[in-house]
Structure formats: structure tokens, C-alpha cells
Amino acid sequence: DVQLVESGGGSVQAGGDLKLSCTTSGATWDRSMAWFRQAPGKEREGVAAIDSDGRIDYADSVKGRFTISKDDAKNTLYLQMNSLRPEDTAMYYCAADKLWLGLSRNYAYWGQGTQVTVS
């Protein structure tokens, strides 16, 4: 019942910045919205999550560099990524669920992903 579409990925040099966007439907009734990433040969991992009350969780590896936010009026989730590192290279996905899941991987709704490459 919820659709999510990511955009904003690209290729940047180490130390550069990118801002990802995820347009959603039904985002206002979802408890959790989150960003995940997956590199080849690795499992999908949580990057940042935000709930309807403003609770935010970040992976330790991105604290101080990434900022998650949302605009409910536009049904859009954002991830501002600063000081990017090669280890941040991955396909980035947005996700949503009616429950608070934080950075766990059991979200019900997923976007198709947008590629981020840092060299």
C-alpha cells in the first residue's frame, strides 16, 4: 500500500557530499522511515531511522556525518551525507513500516535503491 522511490545518488570523491531523497505514499501513517545500504557481498545494514515522534537512530559509522530528516507535507524522506568515505559506497534504500523498527532489517516497504559511489 506504500510506495517509495529514491533519488540523488551518484559518484563523488572522498570527502564530498550527497543528499538522497525518497518520495513516499502513506508516509504520515508509518511509524518508522529509514535508510539502509548494501554493498556487493554484504548484508543490508541500517544507516539511519526516524519515527513519527522524531526519534532518530544512526549507525555508529555515520554519526556526525549523515543527517536524516523528513518533510511530511511533501511525503519525502532525506539523507544528507557529508564527508563521504569509500566505505560508504553502496546501494542506498529507503524503507517504511507501521512499527518502530529502528535500524533492524524487517521493514515492510522498500524502495528500488539509488547507487552511491565514493572514490
Side-chain angles (χ1 to χ4, degrees):
D1 194 20
V2 176
Q3 294 184 351
L4 306 93
V5 180
E6 303 94 335
S7 62
S11 298
V12 299
Q13 294 182 350
D17 308 326
L18 283 174
K19 187 173 184 177
L20 307 182
S21 298
C22 176
T23 58
T24 69
S25 62
T28 57
W29 54 259
D30 285 318
R31 176 69 183 273
S32 302
M33 299 176 68
W35 288 97
F36 287 76
R37 64 188 182 187
Q38 187 168 26
K42 299 181 64 178
E43 67 179 3
R44 192 166 298 186
E45 59 183 350
V47 175
I50 185 168
D51 81 348
S52 58
D53 297 320
R55 176 180 178 179
I56 294 175
D57 283 351
Y58 291 106
D60 288 342
S61 61
V62 307
K63 288 180 180 177
R65 299 189 298 124
F66 292 11
T67 302
I68 188 171
S69 62
K70 60 186 178 72
D71 185 335
D72 290 336
K74 296 181 179 180
N75 290 326
T76 302
L77 179 73
Y78 303 99
L79 184 68
Q80 177 66 52
M81 305 185 294
N82 298 331
S83 301
L84 284 162
R85 305 166 180 170
E87 65 182 290
D88 296 318
T89 295
M91 184 73 75
Y92 281 71
Y93 301 88
C94 60
D97 202 278
K98 65 180 181 180
L99 303 177
W100 169 247
L101 297 177
L103 300 179
S104 68
R105 296 182 291 274
N106 298 322
Y107 282 76
Y109 304 100
W110 295 86
Q112 81 287 354
T114 185
Q115 179 68 38
V116 172
T117 302
V118 185
S119 61

